Amino acid sequence: MNSAPPTEHTPPTESNGAHTTEPAPTPTPPAGAAPAKQARNPLHGITLEAMVVGLADYFGWDELGRQIPIRCFQIDPSVSSSLKFLRKTPWAREKVESLYLFMLRERRRNT
């Protein structure tokens, strides 16, 4: 049997030269403040559905299918079929976002 008296273990602290593993606290932004990287993003808060509906209203499905030649805009187009495809296909979504930004600029220019 072990008859040695129990020794007290002291965890390392900053004062005895050990490094802490706890991350430094990050400052929290004030309530209601938008993140800085979204401050000038015109697509912030716009859903993909709103973009597709806006483009279809502005251009019409035929012209939209010519501008972005993908089947969901050319053959039996609908918002739901377009959303299914665009959510799975990043390159097509980028084209929709780009055309949506073009549409917004054109609207501003014409008013």
Side-chain angles (χ1 to χ4, degrees):
M1 290 191 46
N2 190 355
S3 61
T7 59
E8 185 176 320
H9 175 74
T10 57
T13 62
E14 286 184 24
S15 63
N16 65 10
H19 297 286
T20 61
T21 57
E22 293 181 25
T26 56
T28 57
K37 54 185 165 177
Q38 295 293 328
R40 296 187 56 102
N41 183 356
L43 296 178
H44 182 67
I46 306 293
T47 64
L48 184 59
E49 181 178 8
M51 283 187 241
V52 171
V53 168
L55 288 170
D57 289 344
Y58 186 77
F59 291 107
W61 287 109
D62 290 336
E63 181 61 25
L64 186 55
R66 281 190 282 281
Q67 293 282 334
I68 304 174
I70 52 179
R71 289 178 53 138
C72 65
F73 291 159
Q74 295 174 333
I75 300 171
D76 195 26
S78 70
V79 173
S80 63
S81 69
S82 300
L83 292 175
K84 286 177 190 175
F85 177 75
L86 294 170
R87 286 183 179 132
K88 295 178 186 176
T89 317
W91 63 265
R93 182 179 180 136
E94 288 175 17
K95 288 182 180 268
V96 166
E97 290 172 350
S98 177
L99 187 60
Y100 186 78
L101 290 172
F102 173 79
M103 179 195 75
L104 292 178
R105 285 190 303 271
E106 284 296 306
R107 280 185 176 169
R108 265 184 267 161
R109 213 176 284 154
N110 294 332
T111 56

